[in-house]
Amino acid sequence: MAKNSNGQQKVEHPRTSKLMNLEHTENQDNPVTGVKLSYWSSSVVVFLVAVLCFINSYDGDFVFDDSEAIENNKDLLPSTPLWNLMQNDFWGRKLGNLSHKSYRPLTVLTFRWNYWAAGGLYPLGFHVINILLHGMVCAALLPVFSIIISADGTCRFQRLALVCSLLFAVHPVHTESVAGVVGRADLLCALFFILSFLAYVKGVTVYSRYRPECFSSSWVFLSTMLSVLATFSKEQGITVIGICSAYDILVVCGFDLRTILSLGMLTNFSEEEDDKIVTRKASREKHDWKLAFVKRQLILFIFAALQLFVRWRVMGSTPPIFQIHDNPHSFVNGTVYRALNYNYLYAINAWILLCPQWLCFDWSMGCVPTVESLADLRLLSVVTLWLVLLVLAWQCLNEENEKTKRSLILSIALIVIPFLPATNIFFRVGFVIAERVLYIPSAGFCLLIGLGLHKLSARDTLKNIVYAGFVLLVCVFFIRSMQRSNQWRKGWWLFTSGEQICPFNAKVHYNIAKLSADAGNITLAEERYKLAIELNPVYDQAMNNLANIYKDQNKLQESEELLDKAVAIAPDFAAAWMNRGITKAALKKYEESERSYKQAIRCRKNYPDCYYNLGNLYLEMGRNQEALDAWKNATQLKPTHWNSWNNAIILLDNLNYQEQAANVALSALRFIPHNSAIQFSLANVFGKQDNYKESEKYFLLALQGDPRNPTIHMNLGVLYHRWGKYKEALACYTKSLELDPHNQVTLDNLNLLKAKMKMSA
C-alpha cells in the first residue's frame, strides 16, 4: 500500500468493471439453465426472443387508445409547433380541467418522428419501433439483473440474469405495451429508467464498491437527467429515484434491513463495524462515507422534489378529475371498504403477473365489481396476497446469505416502488387495472421468480425438474404472448377477446358497437350500444352514439331523449350538446338548438364543427349574417374546414354578393388548394359573373379532383352552353348522363342544346 508525504498509508480505491463491459467468470454455473453464454451472446439471445415474441403485431392497425393518441392527435402534425408538445397532454389536448393530465412530451415527440419518417399515419413504422424498443429494454435488463443479483457493488455478468431477462422478454402482460402503439410510453420510460439506474450505480461505485467516501457527480447527475427523460416518457419514470436510493442503502452502504427498520442507518453501528472501516480506510475519517451517502440521498431527494413540483405546475396545480366509471373502487364509501377494494385490485395485478391468462384491453365499467361486504369470498385473494408478502418479509429478515437477502429485497422494491403511482394511495388514478403499468414492476417479479428457481435448483434432486419447468414456462409465455399480440392487431379481435374476459364491461360492448357502426352494421351497433347502456345506465358516450344512429334513422324523439340524458349526466360533454343541437334543429326546436350549440362551445371553445352546425341553424332560421359569422369562426379555428368555407360561398352567391363569394373562395383555396367542392363553387360564381374563362378553369380543376361527379360535368356543360361552345356542352351533358342517367335537369338541358344546335344548323 502506498504512503503519503506524512508517512501515512494511502488508500487506493479499487474501480469496478465498466457497466456496459460486464465481466463474467467462466467457471460460474447457472443451476437453472445449465447454459454458459457470454454477456453479449446473452444480450443478442434476449433481444431476438423479445422481438420474435411480439413480431406478429408489426402489421397491426391503430387500435383502442391509438385513435386518440395517434390518429386524432394534432401534435403529431409537422404544422404543429414543437412547443405545443410541452403544453399539451398525451392526447394533444390542453392541460386543463377536462384533461386527464397525462404529460408525456418525449413519447409524443417519438410519435411525431414516426409520422415524419413515414410521411403520414402509417401504423407499420409505429409498431416496428415498439417491438425494437421492447427488445432493447429486455437486453438492457441483463446488466440491471446482474447488478442486483451480485448485490456487492460489482457489475459482473450473472447468468441467472439471463433467466430473468428471458422471463421478462416473453411475459404476456407486456402485450399491451408492445402491440399497442400508445404503449410506447411504457417502453421509453422503462428504457430511460434502466439507463438512469445503471448510470447511478456507475457513479456511486466508480471509486469503491463498498461505502465509498466520494462518488462521481457527473454520473449521478446523468442519472437524474435520465430519470427526467423517463418521467417525460411516462409519469412512472420518477420512481427510478427510489430504486437508486434503495440500491445505495442496501448494497453500496450495506445497511441491514433490521437496522433500517430500527431507523439506525446513520447512528447504530457496532464497534466491530467501525473498526473494519477504520482499518480499511485508515487515512480518512471513519464517517466520511456517511457524509457521501447523505449527499447522494439529498441529490436524489432534491431532483425528485423538483420533478414533482414541475409536474404539479404543469398540471395547473390541480389533480386530474375522473368519473366513477373510470375507477369505481376509489369512490367506494368508507375508508375500510375502499382499502379492501384497493387490496383486491393489488391481488388481481399479482395474479395477472403470475398467471397472465386474464388479459383485457380495459378493466373498467363492471369488469371488476367492487367489494361491498366483508363476507365477499374474493377477499380470500387479499388474505393470500398478504400471506405471501409476510412470507417474503420474513425471508428478507432471516435470510442468512447477505447477498441473497439484498437481492431479494431489491427485487421486491423493483415490484413495489414503480407500482406506487398506480396504487390509488397518493392520488386517484383513472383506471381499475392497467396491464401497461406492470411493465416495469414485472422486471422485479421476473427477478423474484429467477431467485426462487435458483434456490430450488441448488438441490440436485430438483435441478432437472426446475430446468424443465423453466423451459416449459418460457414456451408457454412465448405462445401466449404471440396469441395475445395477434389479438391486438385488429380492433375487432381485441374487443371481442375482451368480451370473453369481461362480459359485463360496458366499454367492451361500446367499442364493439363503434366498430360495427363504422363497418355499416347498424343493427349490431344499435344492439351493443343498448347493452352498454343497460350495463352502465350513466354511460353518456354510448347514449350520444346511439342517439346519432337514431337521428340518422329519423327517430328524432328517441335521439332527443338520449341526448337529454347524456348532457344531464355529463354537463361538460361538448359533443353531446352539439348533437343535441342538431336533433333539436331537426325537430324545429330552434331556440333549444341554439342554446345547445352555444353550450357546446362553452364546454369546448375550439370547436369548429359546432360553429359550422350553428351556422346551418342560423341559415335555416333566415339569420344570414349570423350564419356567415359562425362559419367564419369555424374557418378561423380550422382553416381546412371546407364545409364552412363552401356554405359561406354558396350563401353569398345566392345573396348576389358574387364579388365577396369569389374572395372567400380564393381565401379558402389558399388553405385547401385542391378541394374540388370549393373549386366547383368558385366556378359557379365566376359563371354568374360571365367570367367564362375563369369559370372554365375552376370547373376543370374540380373535375381533376372529382372526375366522376355528374353535377360538375352538367354545370360545365351549362357554362359551355351559355358560352356558345355547343360541342363541348354536348360532351359534358353526355358524360353527366353516363354517370347519372336519370337526372332530369341534365336531360332537359341536353334537349334544349340539341334544339339550339338544330336551329343553328
Side-chain angles (χ1 to χ4, degrees):
M1 185 176 290
K3 294 185 179 181
N4 61 18
S5 58
N6 296 324
Q8 295 176 318
Q9 288 182 323
K10 182 180 178 181
V11 178
E12 295 179 357
H13 301 287
R15 289 180 177 266
T16 58
S17 56
K18 293 183 180 179
L19 284 176
M20 301 313 293
N21 293 309
L22 300 185
E23 299 175 358
H24 78 275
T25 309
E26 290 300 328
N27 61 3
Q28 181 191 23
D29 190 19
N30 188 328
V32 179
T33 64
V35 177
K36 294 183 178 181
L37 292 174
S38 68
Y39 167 71
W40 292 110
S41 299
S42 298
S43 298
V44 172
V45 169
V46 169
F47 179 84
L48 291 177
V49 169
V51 168
L52 290 173
C53 193
F54 297 99
I55 192 67
N56 60 343
S57 66
Y58 83 97
D59 61 346
D61 297 335
F62 291 124
V63 297
F64 194 39
D65 286 340
D66 295 345
S67 61
E68 288 298 317
I70 308 295
E71 293 179 294
N72 299 330
N73 192 342
K74 294 180 181 178
D75 287 345
L76 271 64
L77 302 177
S79 57
T80 302
L82 278 174
W83 181 245
N84 282 23
L85 274 64
M86 303 300 294
Q87 298 176 309
N88 295 342
D89 65 12
F90 186 52
W91 316 98
R93 305 187 189 101
K94 291 292 182 182
L95 285 159
N97 292 331
L98 299 180
S99 168
H100 283 189
K101 302 187 178 181
S102 301
Y103 186 65
R104 303 161 191 174
L106 187 57
T107 303
V108 178
L109 181 61
T110 66
F111 291 154
R112 185 164 171 146
W113 287 339
N114 264 123
Y115 183 100
W116 170 79
L121 289 173
Y122 302 103
L124 177 67
F126 289 84
H127 285 294
V128 169
I129 294 298
N130 271 28
I131 295 168
L132 293 176
L133 279 172
H134 176 60
M136 292 168 63
V137 168
C138 295
L141 277 172
L142 275 170
V144 173
F145 288 148
S146 295
I147 289 167
I148 294 176
I149 292 167
S150 299
D152 59 1
T154 64
C155 302
R156 293 189 184 90
F157 172 51
Q158 302 287 329
R159 293 196 185 93
L160 180 57
L162 174 60
V163 172
C164 303
S165 295
L166 283 174
L167 278 177
F168 182 88
V170 300
H171 203 298
V173 81
H174 301 153
T175 310
E176 181 176 358
S177 297
V178 182
V181 175
V182 295
R184 175 84 57 86
D186 303 280
L187 302 171
L188 283 173
C189 177
L191 185 60
F192 288 118
F193 185 105
I194 291 167
L195 294 176
S196 175
F197 175 74
L198 293 176
Y200 188 81
V201 173
K202 175 71 173 179
V204 298
T205 61
V206 69
Y207 297 114
S208 175
R209 296 195 298 263
Y210 183 70
R211 294 182 175 175
E213 297 164 3
C214 53
F215 57 92
S216 171
S217 300
S218 57
W219 278 103
V220 172
F221 178 75
L222 176 62
S223 172
T224 57
M225 289 298 98
L226 288 167
S227 76
V228 172
L229 294 180
T231 307
F232 273 21
S233 299
K234 189 173 182 179
E235 298 79 359
Q236 201 175 17
I238 195 173
T239 59
V240 69
I241 291 177
I243 299 298
C244 292
S245 177
Y247 182 82
D248 199 344
I249 293 168
L250 293 167
V251 177
V252 178
C253 293
F255 291 115
D256 182 75
L257 184 58
R258 294 179 186 274
T259 304
I260 296 171
L261 294 175
S262 65
L263 302 178
M265 286 194 299
L266 298 179
T267 57
N268 297 335
F269 294 101
S270 66
E271 290 298 325
E272 182 181 353
E273 275 190 321
D274 282 342
D275 289 342
K276 289 180 181 178
I277 296 171
V278 173
T279 301
R280 255 196 322 263
K281 307 182 186 299
S283 65
R284 297 182 182 273
E285 293 292 334
K286 64 181 180 181
H287 294 309
D288 279 358
W289 68 269
K290 296 181 185 178
L291 181 60
F293 165 72
V294 171
K295 286 180 180 178
R296 293 194 300 271
Q297 294 297 309
L298 277 175
I299 291 171
L300 293 176
F301 174 79
I302 290 170
F303 269 90
L306 282 173
Q307 287 190 56
L308 289 172
F309 174 76
V310 171
R311 186 72 174 80
W312 181 250
R313 294 292 296 173
V314 164
M315 292 196 306
S317 303
T318 57
I321 299 172
F322 297 109
Q323 298 179 9
I324 189 170
H325 61 75
D326 293 318
N327 184 3
H329 300 76
S330 66
F331 287 87
V332 171
N333 291 325
T335 304
V336 173
Y337 279 105
R338 197 155 53 247
L340 287 174
N341 275 276
Y342 291 161
N343 278 271
Y344 177 56
L345 296 181
Y346 306 156
I348 294 178
N349 278 282
W351 178 250
I352 289 173
L353 284 174
L354 190 63
C355 182
Q357 180 59 29
W358 289 356
L359 296 176
C360 186
F361 69 94
D362 187 272
W363 291 81
S364 63
M365 293 194 182
C367 193
V368 183
T370 56
V371 175
E372 304 287 349
S373 168
L374 293 175
D376 195 321
L377 292 177
R378 292 177 297 168
L379 291 178
L380 291 174
S381 64
V382 176
V383 175
T384 304
L385 173 66
W386 280 102
L387 285 175
V388 171
L389 291 176
L390 287 172
V391 170
L392 287 173
W394 182 88
Q395 187 68 25
C396 290
L397 287 170
N398 295 281
E399 173 63 45
E400 294 180 359
N401 187 303
E402 285 298 320
K403 288 186 179 181
T404 303
K405 180 190 290 188
R406 292 168 189 162
S407 298
L408 186 59
I409 296 171
L410 285 171
S411 66
I412 295 172
L414 192 53
I415 297 172
V416 174
I417 294 176
F419 187 69
L420 284 175
T423 58
N424 287 289
I425 294 174
F426 303 106
F427 47 83
R428 176 179 288 143
V429 298
F431 53 85
V432 177
I433 294 172
E435 294 155 22
R436 59 188 177 274
V437 304
L438 294 174
Y439 190 77
I440 296 176
S442 65
F445 172 80
C446 292
L447 178 57
L448 191 63
I449 295 298
L451 291 170
L453 292 175
H454 184 275
K455 191 159 189 174
L456 288 173
S457 64
R459 301 181 182 181
D460 292 336
T461 55
L462 296 177
K463 188 172 183 178
N464 290 333
I465 297 174
V466 170
Y467 172 73
F470 170 73
V471 173
L472 179 62
L473 181 62
V474 170
C475 291
V476 169
F477 275 15
F478 188 96
I479 294 169
R480 175 61 175 143
S481 293
M482 291 197 71
Q483 177 197 31
R484 184 61 180 157
S485 61
N486 187 61
Q487 292 172 340
W488 271 86
R489 289 173 60 211
K490 304 291 180 183
W492 182 263
W493 299 345
L494 179 65
F495 300 145
T496 51
S497 71
E499 185 180 11
Q500 298 171 14
I501 303 299
C502 295
F504 301 112
N505 186 337
K507 189 176 283 189
V508 169
H509 299 287
Y510 169 85
N511 281 289
I512 292 175
K514 197 173 179 182
L515 281 184
S516 300
D518 292 342
N521 192 343
I522 303 302
T523 302
L524 180 59
E526 184 177 345
E527 175 189 322
R528 290 306 182 109
Y529 278 134
K530 287 180 178 178
L531 181 55
I533 295 169
E534 181 182 339
L535 291 169
N536 182 9
V538 292
Y539 202 166
D540 51 311
Q541 291 176 324
M543 292 175 184
N544 176 66
N545 289 9
L546 181 57
N548 285 337
I549 290 177
Y550 285 151
K551 174 172 61 67
D552 293 340
Q553 294 174 341
N554 206 33
K555 297 178 181 178
L556 298 178
Q557 297 293 342
E558 292 90 334
S559 177
E560 180 185 33
E561 181 181 345
L562 282 170
L563 289 167
D564 286 345
K565 287 181 181 178
V567 297
I569 293 166
D572 57 353
F573 192 177
W577 280 110
M578 184 187 75
N579 290 326
R580 185 175 184 265
I582 295 171
T583 300
K584 296 286 187 182
L587 289 167
K588 308 300 181 184
K589 298 180 180 180
Y590 295 137
E591 291 184 2
E592 290 186 61
S593 175
E594 183 180 8
R595 285 197 295 270
S596 295
Y597 286 137
K598 289 184 175 180
Q599 181 61 31
I601 292 167
R602 278 192 287 270
C603 294
R604 188 194 301 175
K605 293 181 180 179
N606 188 356
Y607 207 173
D609 287 343
C610 193
Y611 277 111
Y612 166 72
N613 285 308
L614 179 60
N616 292 344
L617 172 67
Y618 287 144
L619 178 65
E620 193 170 347
M621 296 171 70
R623 294 157 63 174
N624 294 333
Q625 187 56 51
E626 289 172 280
L628 290 170
D629 291 340
W631 292 327
K632 183 178 180 181
N633 285 332
T635 57
Q636 286 177 340
L637 291 171
K638 185 180 179 181
T640 57
H641 201 287
W642 70 270
N643 280 319
S644 294
W645 285 112
N646 205 38
N647 280 14
I649 296 164
I650 293 170
L651 177 57
L652 289 168
D653 187 25
N654 291 339
L655 294 173
N656 291 320
Y657 297 139
Q658 275 77 35
E659 193 69 33
Q660 291 183 36
N663 290 335
V664 170
L666 291 170
S667 297
L669 289 174
R670 285 200 293 269
F671 297 103
I672 37 178
H674 304 296
N675 187 281
S676 57
I678 303 295
Q679 292 165 341
F680 174 69
S681 296
L682 180 56
N684 287 328
V685 171
F686 281 135
K688 284 188 178 181
Q689 293 178 317
D690 295 331
N691 190 344
Y692 297 143
K693 198 72 176 175
E694 286 297 302
S695 180
E696 179 190 31
K697 170 187 171 183
Y698 283 102
F699 273 131
L700 294 175
L701 286 172
L703 282 173
Q704 289 179 14
D706 193 4
R708 297 190 60 79
N709 189 322
T711 305
I712 300 177
H713 286 285
M714 184 191 72
N715 281 25
L716 179 57
V718 172
L719 175 71
Y720 286 138
H721 195 158
R722 292 173 56 207
W723 201 351
K725 295 185 176 184
Y726 297 143
K727 289 183 180 179
E728 290 86 345
L730 179 62
C732 289
Y733 288 147
T734 303
K735 182 63 176 179
S736 178
L737 287 171
E738 285 178 12
L739 298 169
D740 184 8
H742 305 294
N743 190 311
Q744 190 60 46
V745 176
T746 308
L747 286 169
D748 292 342
N749 286 343
L750 179 60
N751 291 331
L752 287 172
L753 176 65
K754 287 180 178 179
K756 185 169 286 190
M757 291 176 73
K758 283 183 181 179
M759 290 175 60
S760 299

